[in-house]
Coordinates of all heavy atoms in Angstrom, one line a residue:
M227 N 28.2 32.9 -27.7 CA 28.1 31.8 -26.8 C 26.8 31.1 -26.9 O 26.2 30.7 -25.9 CB 28.4 32.3 -25.4 CG 29.7 33.0 -25.3 SD 31.1 32.1 -24.6 CE 30.5 31.3 -23.1
E228 N 26.2 31.1 -28.1 CA 24.9 30.4 -28.3 C 25.0 29.0 -27.8 O 26.0 28.3 -28.1 CB 24.6 30.5 -29.8 CG 23.2 30.1 -30.1 CD 22.2 31.3 -30.3 OE1 22.7 32.4 -30.3 OE2 21.0 31.0 -30.5
G229 N 24.0 28.6 -27.1 CA 23.9 27.2 -26.6 C 24.6 26.9 -25.3 O 24.5 25.9 -24.7
Q230 N 25.2 28.0 -24.7 CA 25.8 27.8 -23.4 C 24.8 28.2 -22.3 O 24.1 29.2 -22.4 CB 27.0 28.7 -23.2 CG 28.1 28.3 -24.2 CD 28.7 26.9 -23.9 OE1 28.9 26.6 -22.8 NE2 28.8 26.2 -25.0
P231 N 24.6 27.4 -21.2 CA 23.7 27.7 -20.1 C 24.0 29.0 -19.5 O 25.2 29.4 -19.3 CB 23.8 26.5 -19.2 CG 24.5 25.5 -19.9 CD 25.3 26.1 -21.0
R232 N 23.0 29.8 -19.1 CA 23.2 31.1 -18.4 C 22.6 31.1 -17.0 O 21.8 31.9 -16.7 CB 22.6 32.2 -19.2 CG 23.1 32.3 -20.6 CD 24.4 33.2 -20.6 NE 24.7 33.6 -21.9 CZ 25.3 32.9 -22.8 NH1 25.6 31.7 -22.6 NH2 25.6 33.4 -24.0
V233 N 22.9 30.1 -16.2 CA 22.2 29.9 -14.9 C 23.3 30.1 -13.8 O 24.4 29.5 -13.9 CB 21.6 28.6 -14.8 CG1 21.0 28.4 -13.4 CG2 20.5 28.4 -15.8
V234 N 23.0 31.0 -12.9 CA 23.9 31.2 -11.7 C 23.4 30.3 -10.6 O 22.4 30.6 -10.0 CB 24.0 32.6 -11.3 CG1 25.0 32.8 -10.1 CG2 24.4 33.5 -12.5
P235 N 24.1 29.2 -10.3 CA 23.6 28.2 -9.3 C 23.4 28.9 -7.9 O 24.3 29.6 -7.5 CB 24.6 27.1 -9.3 CG 25.4 27.3 -10.5 CD 25.3 28.7 -10.9
G236 N 22.3 28.6 -7.2 CA 22.1 29.0 -5.9 C 21.6 30.4 -5.7 O 21.3 30.9 -4.6
V237 N 21.5 31.2 -6.8 CA 21.1 32.6 -6.6 C 19.6 32.7 -6.8 O 19.0 33.5 -6.1 CB 21.9 33.5 -7.7 CG1 21.3 34.9 -7.7 CG2 23.3 33.4 -7.4
V238 N 19.0 32.0 -7.8 CA 17.6 32.1 -8.1 C 17.0 30.7 -7.9 O 17.5 29.8 -8.4 CB 17.4 32.7 -9.5 CG1 15.9 32.6 -9.8 CG2 18.0 34.0 -9.6
T239 N 15.9 30.7 -7.2 CA 15.1 29.4 -7.1 C 14.1 29.4 -8.2 O 13.3 30.3 -8.4 CB 14.4 29.3 -5.7 OG1 15.3 29.5 -4.7 CG2 13.7 28.0 -5.6
R240 N 14.2 28.3 -9.0 CA 13.3 28.2 -10.2 C 12.2 27.3 -9.8 O 12.2 26.5 -8.9 CB 14.1 27.6 -11.4 CG 15.3 28.5 -11.8 CD 16.1 27.8 -12.9 NE 15.6 28.2 -14.2 CZ 16.1 27.7 -15.3 NH1 17.1 26.8 -15.3 NH2 15.7 28.1 -16.5
G241 N 11.0 27.5 -10.5 CA 9.8 26.7 -10.3 C 10.0 25.3 -10.8 O 11.1 24.9 -11.3
P242 N 9.0 24.5 -10.7 CA 9.1 23.1 -11.2 C 9.4 23.0 -12.7 O 9.0 23.9 -13.5 CB 7.6 22.6 -10.9 CG 7.1 23.5 -9.9 CD 7.7 24.8 -10.1
A243 N 10.2 22.0 -13.1 CA 10.6 21.9 -14.5 C 9.4 21.5 -15.3 O 8.6 20.7 -14.9 CB 11.7 20.8 -14.6
I244 N 9.3 22.1 -16.5 CA 8.3 21.7 -17.5 C 9.1 21.6 -18.8 O 10.3 21.9 -18.9 CB 7.2 22.8 -17.6 CG1 7.8 24.1 -18.0 CG2 6.4 22.8 -16.3 CD1 6.7 25.2 -18.3
E245 N 8.3 21.2 -19.9 CA 9.0 21.1 -21.2 C 8.2 21.9 -22.2 O 6.9 21.9 -22.3 CB 9.0 19.6 -21.6 CG 9.8 19.4 -22.9 CD 10.0 17.9 -23.2 OE1 10.9 17.3 -22.6 OE2 9.3 17.4 -24.0
I246 N 8.9 22.7 -23.0 CA 8.3 23.4 -24.1 C 8.9 22.9 -25.4 O 9.9 22.2 -25.3 CB 8.5 24.9 -24.0 CG1 10.0 25.3 -24.0 CG2 7.8 25.5 -22.7 CD1 10.2 26.8 -23.9
V247 N 8.4 23.3 -26.5 CA 8.9 22.8 -27.8 C 9.4 24.1 -28.6 O 8.6 25.0 -28.8 CB 7.8 22.1 -28.7 CG1 8.4 21.7 -30.0 CG2 7.3 20.9 -27.9
V248 N 10.7 24.1 -28.9 CA 11.2 25.3 -29.5 C 11.8 24.9 -30.9 O 12.7 24.1 -31.0 CB 12.4 25.9 -28.7 CG1 13.0 27.1 -29.4 CG2 11.9 26.2 -27.3
D249 N 11.1 25.5 -31.9 CA 11.5 25.1 -33.3 C 11.5 23.6 -33.5 O 12.4 23.0 -34.2 CB 12.8 25.7 -33.7 CG 12.8 27.2 -33.8 OD1 11.7 27.8 -34.1 OD2 13.8 27.9 -33.6
G250 N 10.5 22.9 -32.9 CA 10.3 21.5 -33.1 C 11.1 20.6 -32.2 O 11.0 19.4 -32.2
N251 N 12.0 21.2 -31.3 CA 12.8 20.5 -30.4 C 12.4 20.7 -29.0 O 12.1 21.8 -28.6 CB 14.3 20.9 -30.6 CG 14.7 20.6 -32.0 OD1 14.6 19.6 -32.6 ND2 15.3 21.7 -32.6
P252 N 12.3 19.6 -28.2 CA 12.0 19.8 -26.8 C 13.0 20.6 -26.1 O 14.2 20.5 -26.3 CB 11.9 18.4 -26.2 CG 12.6 17.5 -27.2 CD 12.6 18.2 -28.5
A253 N 12.6 21.5 -25.1 CA 13.5 22.3 -24.3 C 12.9 22.4 -22.9 O 11.7 22.4 -22.7 CB 13.6 23.7 -24.9
K254 N 13.8 22.4 -21.9 CA 13.4 22.5 -20.6 C 13.2 23.9 -20.2 O 13.8 24.8 -20.7 CB 14.5 21.9 -19.7 CG 14.7 20.4 -19.9 CD 14.9 19.6 -18.6 CE 15.1 18.2 -18.8 NZ 14.0 17.5 -19.5
A255 N 12.2 24.1 -19.4 CA 11.9 25.5 -18.8 C 11.4 25.3 -17.4 O 11.3 24.1 -16.9 CB 10.8 26.2 -19.7
H256 N 11.1 26.3 -16.7 CA 10.6 26.2 -15.3 C 9.4 27.2 -15.2 O 9.4 28.3 -15.7 CB 11.7 26.6 -14.4 CG 12.8 25.7 -14.4 ND1 12.9 24.6 -13.5 CD2 13.9 25.6 -15.2 CE1 14.0 23.9 -13.7 NE2 14.6 24.5 -14.7
E257 N 8.4 26.6 -14.5 CA 7.1 27.4 -14.2 C 7.5 28.8 -13.6 O 8.4 28.8 -12.8 CB 6.2 26.7 -13.3 CG 5.4 25.6 -14.0 CD 4.5 24.9 -13.1 OE1 4.2 25.4 -11.9 OE2 3.9 23.8 -13.5
G258 N 6.8 29.8 -14.0 CA 7.1 31.1 -13.4 C 8.0 32.0 -14.1 O 8.2 33.2 -13.8
E259 N 8.7 31.5 -15.1 CA 9.6 32.3 -15.9 C 9.0 32.6 -17.3 O 8.1 31.9 -17.8 CB 11.0 31.6 -16.0 CG 11.0 30.3 -16.7 CD 12.3 29.6 -16.6 OE1 13.2 30.0 -15.8 OE2 12.5 28.6 -17.3
S260 N 9.5 33.7 -17.9 CA 9.0 34.0 -19.2 C 9.6 33.1 -20.3 O 10.7 32.5 -20.0 CB 9.3 35.5 -19.5 OG 10.7 35.7 -19.7
V261 N 9.0 33.1 -21.4 CA 9.6 32.3 -22.5 C 11.0 32.8 -22.8 O 12.0 32.0 -23.0 CB 8.7 32.4 -23.8 CG1 9.4 31.8 -25.0 CG2 7.4 31.8 -23.5
A262 N 11.2 34.2 -22.9 CA 12.5 34.7 -23.2 C 13.5 34.3 -22.1 O 14.7 34.0 -22.5 CB 12.4 36.2 -23.3
A263 N 13.1 34.4 -20.9 CA 14.1 34.0 -19.8 C 14.5 32.5 -19.9 O 15.6 32.2 -19.7 CB 13.4 34.3 -18.4
A264 N 13.5 31.7 -20.2 CA 13.8 30.2 -20.3 C 14.8 30.0 -21.5 O 15.7 29.2 -21.3 CB 12.5 29.5 -20.6
L265 N 14.6 30.7 -22.6 CA 15.4 30.5 -23.7 C 16.8 31.1 -23.4 O 17.8 30.5 -23.8 CB 14.8 31.1 -25.0 CG 13.5 30.5 -25.4 CD1 13.0 31.2 -26.7 CD2 13.7 29.0 -25.7
L266 N 16.9 32.2 -22.8 CA 18.2 32.8 -22.4 C 18.9 31.9 -21.5 O 20.1 31.7 -21.6 CB 18.0 34.2 -21.8 CG 19.2 35.0 -21.5 CD1 19.9 35.3 -22.8 CD2 18.9 36.3 -20.7
A267 N 18.2 31.3 -20.5 CA 18.9 30.4 -19.5 C 19.4 29.2 -20.3 O 20.4 28.6 -19.8 CB 17.9 30.0 -18.5
A268 N 18.7 28.8 -21.4 CA 19.2 27.7 -22.2 C 20.3 28.0 -23.1 O 20.8 27.2 -23.9 CB 18.0 27.1 -22.9
G269 N 20.7 29.3 -23.1 CA 21.8 29.7 -24.0 C 21.4 30.3 -25.3 O 22.3 30.5 -26.2
R270 N 20.1 30.5 -25.5 CA 19.6 30.9 -26.8 C 19.5 32.5 -26.8 O 18.9 33.0 -26.0 CB 18.3 30.3 -27.1 CG 17.8 30.8 -28.5 CD 16.6 29.9 -28.9 NE 16.1 30.5 -30.1 CZ 15.6 29.8 -31.0 NH1 15.5 28.5 -30.9 NH2 15.1 30.4 -32.1
R271 N 20.2 33.1 -27.8 CA 20.2 34.6 -27.9 C 19.3 35.1 -29.0 O 18.7 36.2 -28.9 CB 21.6 35.1 -28.1 CG 22.6 34.5 -27.1 CD 22.8 35.3 -25.9 NE 22.9 36.7 -26.0 CZ 24.1 37.4 -26.1 NH1 25.2 36.7 -26.1 NH2 24.1 38.7 -26.2
T272 N 19.1 34.4 -30.1 CA 18.3 34.8 -31.2 C 16.9 34.3 -31.1 O 16.7 33.1 -31.0 CB 18.9 34.3 -32.5 OG1 20.3 34.8 -32.6 CG2 18.1 34.8 -33.7
L273 N 15.9 35.3 -31.1 CA 14.5 34.9 -30.9 C 13.7 35.2 -32.2 O 12.7 34.6 -32.5 CB 13.9 35.7 -29.8 CG 14.6 35.6 -28.4 CD1 13.9 36.4 -27.4 CD2 14.7 34.1 -28.0
R274 N 14.2 36.1 -33.0 CA 13.6 36.4 -34.3 C 14.6 36.9 -35.3 O 15.8 37.2 -34.9 CB 12.5 37.5 -34.1 CG 13.0 38.9 -33.8 CD 11.9 39.9 -33.8 NE 12.5 41.2 -33.6 CZ 12.7 42.2 -34.5 NH1 12.4 41.9 -35.8 NH2 13.1 43.3 -34.2
T275 N 14.2 37.1 -36.5 CA 15.1 37.7 -37.5 C 14.4 38.9 -38.2 O 13.1 38.8 -38.2 CB 15.6 36.7 -38.6 OG1 14.4 36.1 -39.2 CG2 16.5 35.6 -38.0
T276 N 15.1 39.9 -38.6 CA 14.5 41.1 -39.2 C 13.9 40.8 -40.5 O 14.3 39.9 -41.2 CB 15.4 42.2 -39.3 OG1 16.5 41.9 -40.1 CG2 16.0 42.6 -37.9
D277 N 12.9 41.6 -40.9 CA 12.2 41.4 -42.2 C 13.1 41.5 -43.4 O 13.1 40.7 -44.3 CB 11.0 42.3 -42.2 CG 9.9 41.9 -43.2 OD1 9.9 40.7 -43.6 OD2 9.1 42.7 -43.6
R278 N 13.8 42.7 -43.5 CA 14.5 43.0 -44.7 C 15.9 42.2 -44.8 O 16.2 41.7 -45.8 CB 14.8 44.5 -44.7 CG 13.7 45.3 -45.2 CD 14.1 46.6 -45.6 NE 13.2 47.6 -45.0 CZ 13.5 48.9 -44.9 NH1 14.6 49.4 -45.3 NH2 12.6 49.7 -44.3
R279 N 16.6 42.2 -43.8 CA 18.0 41.7 -43.9 C 18.2 40.3 -43.2 O 19.2 39.7 -43.3 CB 19.0 42.6 -43.3 CG 19.1 43.9 -44.0 CD 20.2 44.8 -43.4 NE 20.4 45.9 -44.3 CZ 21.2 46.9 -43.9 NH1 21.9 46.9 -42.8 NH2 21.4 47.9 -44.7
G280 N 17.2 39.9 -42.5 CA 17.3 38.6 -41.8 C 18.3 38.6 -40.6 O 18.8 37.6 -40.3
E281 N 18.5 39.8 -40.1 CA 19.5 39.9 -39.0 C 18.8 39.4 -37.7 O 17.7 39.6 -37.4 CB 19.9 41.4 -38.8 CG 20.6 41.9 -40.0 CD 20.9 43.4 -39.9 OE1 20.2 44.1 -39.2 OE2 21.9 43.8 -40.6
P282 N 19.7 38.8 -36.8 CA 19.2 38.2 -35.6 C 18.8 39.3 -34.6 O 19.5 40.3 -34.5 CB 20.3 37.4 -35.1 CG 21.5 38.0 -35.7 CD 21.1 38.6 -37.0
R283 N 17.7 39.1 -33.8 CA 17.3 39.9 -32.7 C 17.0 39.1 -31.5 O 16.6 37.9 -31.7 CB 16.1 40.8 -33.1 CG 16.4 41.8 -34.2 CD 17.3 42.9 -33.7 NE 17.5 43.9 -34.7 CZ 18.5 44.0 -35.5 NH1 19.4 43.0 -35.6 NH2 18.7 45.0 -36.4
G284 N 17.1 39.6 -30.3 CA 16.8 38.8 -29.1 C 16.3 39.7 -28.0 O 16.0 40.9 -28.2
L285 N 16.4 39.2 -26.8 CA 16.0 40.0 -25.6 C 16.7 41.3 -25.5 O 18.0 41.3 -25.6 CB 16.2 39.1 -24.4 CG 15.6 39.7 -23.1 CD1 14.1 39.6 -23.1 CD2 16.2 38.8 -21.9
Y286 N 16.0 42.4 -25.4 CA 16.7 43.7 -25.4 C 16.2 44.5 -24.1 O 16.9 44.7 -23.2 CB 16.4 44.5 -26.7 CG 17.2 45.8 -26.7 CD1 18.5 45.9 -26.7 CD2 16.5 47.0 -26.7 CE1 19.2 47.1 -26.7 CE2 17.1 48.2 -26.8 CZ 18.5 48.3 -26.7 OH 19.1 49.5 -26.7
C287 N 14.9 45.0 -24.2 CA 14.5 45.7 -23.0 C 14.0 44.8 -21.9 O 14.2 45.2 -20.7 CB 13.4 46.7 -23.4 SG 11.8 45.9 -23.7
G288 N 13.4 43.7 -22.2 CA 12.9 42.8 -21.2 C 11.7 43.3 -20.4 O 11.3 42.6 -19.5
I289 N 11.1 44.4 -20.9 CA 9.9 44.9 -20.2 C 8.7 45.2 -21.1 O 7.8 45.9 -20.8 CB 10.2 46.2 -19.4 CG1 10.8 47.3 -20.3 CG2 11.2 45.9 -18.2 CD1 11.0 48.6 -19.6
G290 N 8.7 44.6 -22.3 CA 7.6 44.7 -23.2 C 7.5 45.9 -24.0 O 6.5 46.2 -24.6
V291 N 8.6 46.7 -24.2 CA 8.6 47.9 -24.9 C 9.1 47.8 -26.3 O 8.6 48.3 -27.3 CB 9.3 49.0 -24.2 CG1 9.4 50.3 -24.9 CG2 8.7 49.3 -22.8
C292 N 10.2 47.1 -26.5 CA 11.0 47.2 -27.8 C 10.5 46.2 -28.9 O 10.8 46.4 -30.1 CB 12.4 46.9 -27.6 SG 12.9 45.2 -27.2
F293 N 9.8 45.1 -28.5 CA 9.3 44.1 -29.5 C 10.4 43.3 -30.2 O 10.2 42.7 -31.2 CB 8.4 44.7 -30.5 CG 7.0 45.0 -29.9 CD1 6.8 46.1 -29.1 CD2 5.9 44.2 -30.2 CE1 5.6 46.4 -28.6 CE2 4.7 44.5 -29.7 CZ 4.5 45.6 -28.9
D294 N 11.7 43.4 -29.7 CA 12.7 42.6 -30.3 C 12.7 41.1 -29.9 O 13.3 40.3 -30.5 CB 14.1 43.2 -29.8 CG 14.7 44.1 -30.8 OD1 14.1 44.3 -32.0 OD2 15.7 44.8 -30.5
C295 N 11.8 40.8 -28.9 CA 11.8 39.4 -28.5 C 10.6 38.6 -29.1 O 10.3 37.5 -28.6 CB 11.7 39.4 -27.0 SG 10.1 40.1 -26.3
V296 N 9.9 39.2 -30.1 CA 8.7 38.5 -30.6 C 9.0 37.2 -31.2 O 10.0 37.1 -31.9 CB 7.9 39.4 -31.5 CG1 7.3 40.6 -30.8 CG2 8.7 39.8 -32.7
M297 N 8.2 36.3 -31.0 CA 8.3 34.9 -31.6 C 6.9 34.5 -31.9 O 5.9 35.1 -31.5 CB 9.0 33.9 -30.6 CG 10.4 34.3 -30.2 SD 11.1 33.1 -29.1 CE 11.7 31.9 -30.3
T298 N 6.8 33.4 -32.6 CA 5.5 32.7 -32.9 C 5.3 31.7 -31.7 O 6.1 30.8 -31.6 CB 5.5 32.1 -34.2 OG1 5.7 33.1 -35.2 CG2 4.2 31.4 -34.5
V299 N 4.2 31.9 -31.0 CA 3.9 31.1 -29.8 C 2.5 30.4 -30.1 O 1.5 31.1 -30.3 CB 3.9 31.9 -28.5 CG1 3.4 31.0 -27.4 CG2 5.2 32.5 -28.3
D300 N 2.5 29.1 -30.1 CA 1.3 28.3 -30.3 C 0.6 28.8 -31.6 O -0.6 28.9 -31.6 CB 0.4 28.3 -29.1 CG 0.9 27.6 -27.9 OD1 1.7 26.6 -28.2 OD2 0.6 27.9 -26.8
G301 N 1.4 29.1 -32.6 CA 0.8 29.5 -33.9 C 0.5 30.9 -34.1 O 0.1 31.4 -35.2
R302 N 0.7 31.7 -33.0 CA 0.4 33.1 -33.1 C 1.7 34.0 -33.2 O 2.5 33.9 -32.3 CB -0.4 33.5 -31.8 CG -0.7 35.0 -31.7 CD -1.5 35.2 -30.4 NE -1.7 36.6 -30.3 CZ -2.2 37.2 -29.2 NH1 -2.4 36.5 -28.2 NH2 -2.4 38.5 -29.2
P303 N 1.8 34.7 -34.3 CA 3.1 35.5 -34.4 C 3.0 36.8 -33.6 O 2.0 37.3 -33.2 CB 3.1 35.8 -35.9 CG 1.6 35.9 -36.3 CD 0.9 34.8 -35.4
G304 N 4.2 37.4 -33.4 CA 4.3 38.7 -32.7 C 4.1 38.7 -31.2 O 3.7 39.7 -30.7
V305 N 4.3 37.5 -30.6 CA 4.1 37.4 -29.2 C 5.4 37.9 -28.5 O 6.5 37.4 -28.8 CB 3.8 36.0 -28.7 CG1 3.7 35.9 -27.2 CG2 2.5 35.5 -29.4
R306 N 5.3 38.9 -27.6 CA 6.4 39.4 -26.8 C 6.8 38.3 -25.8 O 6.2 38.2 -24.8 CB 6.2 40.7 -26.2 CG 6.0 41.8 -27.2 CD 5.6 43.1 -26.5 NE 4.2 42.9 -26.0 CZ 3.6 43.8 -25.3 NH1 4.2 44.9 -24.9 NH2 2.3 43.6 -24.9
T307 N 7.9 37.6 -26.0 CA 8.2 36.5 -25.1 C 8.8 36.9 -23.8 O 8.8 36.1 -22.9 CB 9.3 35.5 -25.8 OG1 10.4 36.3 -26.2 CG2 8.7 34.9 -27.1
C308 N 9.2 38.2 -23.7 CA 9.6 38.6 -22.3 C 8.4 38.9 -21.4 O 8.6 39.0 -20.2 CB 10.5 39.9 -22.4 SG 9.5 41.4 -22.9
Q309 N 7.2 38.9 -22.0 CA 6.0 39.2 -21.2 C 5.1 37.9 -21.1 O 4.0 38.0 -20.6 CB 5.2 40.3 -21.8 CG 6.0 41.6 -21.9 CD 6.3 42.2 -20.5 OE1 5.4 42.5 -19.8 NE2 7.6 42.2 -20.2
T310 N 5.6 36.8 -21.7 CA 4.7 35.6 -21.8 C 5.3 34.5 -20.9 O 6.4 34.0 -21.2 CB 4.7 35.2 -23.3 OG1 4.3 36.3 -24.1 CG2 3.8 34.0 -23.5
P311 N 4.5 34.1 -19.9 CA 5.0 33.0 -19.1 C 5.0 31.6 -19.9 O 4.1 31.4 -20.7 CB 4.0 32.9 -17.9 CG 2.9 33.9 -18.2 CD 3.3 34.6 -19.5
V312 N 5.9 30.8 -19.5 CA 6.0 29.5 -20.2 C 4.8 28.6 -19.6 O 4.3 28.8 -18.5 CB 7.3 28.8 -19.9 CG1 8.5 29.4 -20.7 CG2 7.6 28.6 -18.4
R313 N 4.4 27.7 -20.5 CA 3.4 26.7 -20.1 C 3.8 25.4 -20.6 O 4.4 25.3 -21.8 CB 2.1 27.2 -20.7 CG 0.9 26.3 -20.5 CD -0.4 26.8 -21.1 NE -0.2 27.4 -22.4 CZ 0.0 26.8 -23.6 NH1 0.1 25.5 -23.6 NH2 0.2 27.5 -24.7
D314 N 3.6 24.3 -19.9 CA 4.0 23.0 -20.3 C 3.4 22.7 -21.7 O 2.2 22.9 -21.9 CB 3.6 22.0 -19.3 CG 4.2 20.6 -19.5 OD1 5.4 20.6 -19.9 OD2 3.6 19.6 -19.3
G315 N 4.2 22.2 -22.6 CA 3.7 21.9 -24.0 C 3.7 23.0 -24.9 O 3.3 22.8 -26.1
M316 N 4.0 24.2 -24.5 CA 3.9 25.4 -25.4 C 4.8 25.2 -26.6 O 5.9 24.7 -26.4 CB 4.3 26.6 -24.5 CG 4.4 27.9 -25.3 SD 4.9 29.2 -24.2 CE 3.4 29.9 -23.6
R317 N 4.3 25.7 -27.7 CA 5.1 25.5 -29.0 C 5.6 26.9 -29.4 O 4.9 27.8 -29.6 CB 4.3 24.9 -30.1 CG 3.8 23.5 -29.7 CD 3.1 22.9 -30.9 NE 4.0 22.5 -31.9 CZ 4.8 21.4 -31.9 NH1 4.7 20.6 -30.9 NH2 5.6 21.1 -32.9
V318 N 7.0 27.1 -29.4 CA 7.6 28.4 -29.7 C 8.4 28.2 -30.9 O 9.2 27.3 -31.1 CB 8.5 28.8 -28.5 CG1 9.1 30.1 -28.7 CG2 7.7 28.8 -27.2
E319 N 8.3 29.2 -31.8 CA 9.1 29.2 -33.0 C 9.8 30.5 -33.3 O 9.3 31.6 -33.0 CB 8.2 28.9 -34.2 CG 7.5 27.6 -34.2 CD 6.4 27.5 -35.2 OE1 6.7 27.6 -36.4 OE2 5.3 27.3 -34.9
T320 N 11.0 30.4 -33.8 CA 11.8 31.6 -34.2 C 10.9 32.3 -35.3 O 10.4 31.7 -36.2 CB 13.1 31.3 -34.8 OG1 13.9 30.5 -33.8 CG2 13.9 32.5 -35.2
Q321 N 10.8 33.6 -35.1 CA 9.9 34.4 -36.1 C 10.8 35.1 -37.1 O 11.7 35.8 -36.8 CB 9.0 35.3 -35.3 CG 8.1 36.1 -36.2 CD 7.1 36.9 -35.4 OE1 6.5 36.4 -34.5 NE2 7.0 38.2 -35.8
A322 N 10.5 34.9 -38.4 CA 11.1 35.6 -39.5 C 10.3 36.8 -39.8 O 9.1 36.6 -40.2 CB 11.3 34.7 -40.7
G323 N 10.8 38.0 -39.7 CA 10.0 39.2 -40.1 C 8.8 39.3 -39.2 O 8.9 39.2 -38.0
T324 N 7.7 39.6 -39.8 CA 6.5 39.8 -39.0 C 5.8 38.4 -38.7 O 4.8 38.4 -38.1 CB 5.5 40.7 -39.8 OG1 5.2 40.2 -41.1 CG2 6.0 42.1 -39.9
G325 N 6.3 37.4 -39.3 CA 5.8 36.0 -39.0 C 4.5 35.8 -39.7 O 4.1 36.6 -40.6
A326 N 3.9 34.6 -39.5 CA 2.7 34.2 -40.1 C 1.9 33.4 -39.1 O 2.4 32.6 -38.3 CB 3.0 33.4 -41.4
W327 N 0.6 33.5 -39.2 CA -0.3 32.7 -38.4 C -0.2 31.3 -38.8 O -0.1 31.0 -40.0 CB -1.8 33.2 -38.5 CG -2.0 34.5 -37.8 CD1 -1.8 35.7 -38.2 CD2 -2.4 34.6 -36.4 NE1 -2.1 36.7 -37.3 CE2 -2.5 36.0 -36.1 CE3 -2.8 33.7 -35.4 CZ2 -2.9 36.5 -34.9 CZ3 -3.2 34.2 -34.2 CH2 -3.2 35.6 -33.9
R328 N -0.2 30.4 -37.8 CA -0.1 29.0 -38.1 C -1.2 28.3 -37.4 O -1.3 28.4 -36.2 CB 1.3 28.4 -37.7 CG 1.8 27.4 -38.6 CD 3.2 26.9 -38.1 NE 4.2 27.9 -37.9 CZ 4.8 28.6 -38.8 NH1 4.5 28.4 -40.1 NH2 5.8 29.4 -38.5
V329 N -2.0 27.5 -38.1 CA -3.1 26.8 -37.4 C -2.5 25.5 -36.9 O -2.0 24.7 -37.7 CB -4.3 26.6 -38.4 CG1 -5.4 25.7 -37.7 CG2 -4.8 27.9 -38.9
E330 N -2.7 25.2 -35.6 CA -2.2 24.0 -35.0 C -3.2 22.9 -35.3 O -4.4 23.1 -35.3 CB -2.1 24.1 -33.5 CG -1.2 25.3 -33.1 CD 0.3 24.9 -33.2 OE1 0.6 23.7 -33.0 OE2 1.0 25.8 -33.6
T331 N -2.7 21.7 -35.7 CA -3.6 20.6 -36.0 C -3.3 19.4 -35.1 O -2.3 19.3 -34.5 CB -3.5 20.2 -37.5 OG1 -2.1 19.8 -37.8 CG2 -4.0 21.2 -38.4
Ligands
FES1087 S1 12.6 42.4 -24.9 FE1 11.7 44.3 -25.4 S2 9.6 43.8 -25.7 FE2 10.5 41.9 -25.0

């Protein structure tokens, strides 16, 4: 169900809306939530792909232990998105394998 919203209306109060950039595309998020939570709420399940087989991985433990949620954030690879709060204008990219450092210009 990639791309389907995962929000239960009326149950959780979200912070003010902000915008992040995910793989070059603008995406809505809310202050106070993690990158992984924002992407999950937007219906995105795949956050990285494995090094050898390119298999999809996504949010698993949600507490910073498994590293399945790592993405490249603002050019820095290997960021655990379940432990990283969103910030307006943040640039997030799907990470392939161990990723690569990217210098923002
Ligand atoms: S989901 Fe396990 S470290 Fe983020």
Side-chain angles (χ1 to χ4, degrees):
M227 304 258 309
E228 191 99 7
Q230 297 296 314
R232 302 276 196 281
V233 178
V234 181
V237 175
V238 175
T239 303
R240 300 175 93 185
I244 60 173
E245 189 172 279
I246 61 176
V247 179
V248 181
D249 292 332
N251 301 307
K254 298 223 178 297
H256 294 265
E257 284 183 10
E259 61 191 11
S260 68
V261 173
L265 295 179
L266 187 64
R270 181 167 174 146
R271 309 271 312 267
T272 300
L273 305 178
R274 71 174 182 100
T275 56
T276 59
D277 199 20
R278 280 197 228 162
R279 295 184 172 173
E281 295 173 334
R283 295 290 183 268
L285 189 67
Y286 183 63
C287 74
I289 58 172
V291 175
C292 72
F293 286 72
D294 265 351
C295 66
V296 295
M297 299 182 81
T298 300
V299 176
D300 291 332
R302 179 180 177 189
V305 175
R306 291 174 292 172
T307 57
C308 71
Q309 302 294 298
T310 305
V312 291
R313 179 181 35 76
D314 194 37
M316 177 181 267
R317 301 185 71 80
V318 180
E319 298 169 58
T320 303
Q321 183 172 310
T324 56
W327 286 86
R328 214 179 309 287
V329 177
E330 301 287 324
T331 56

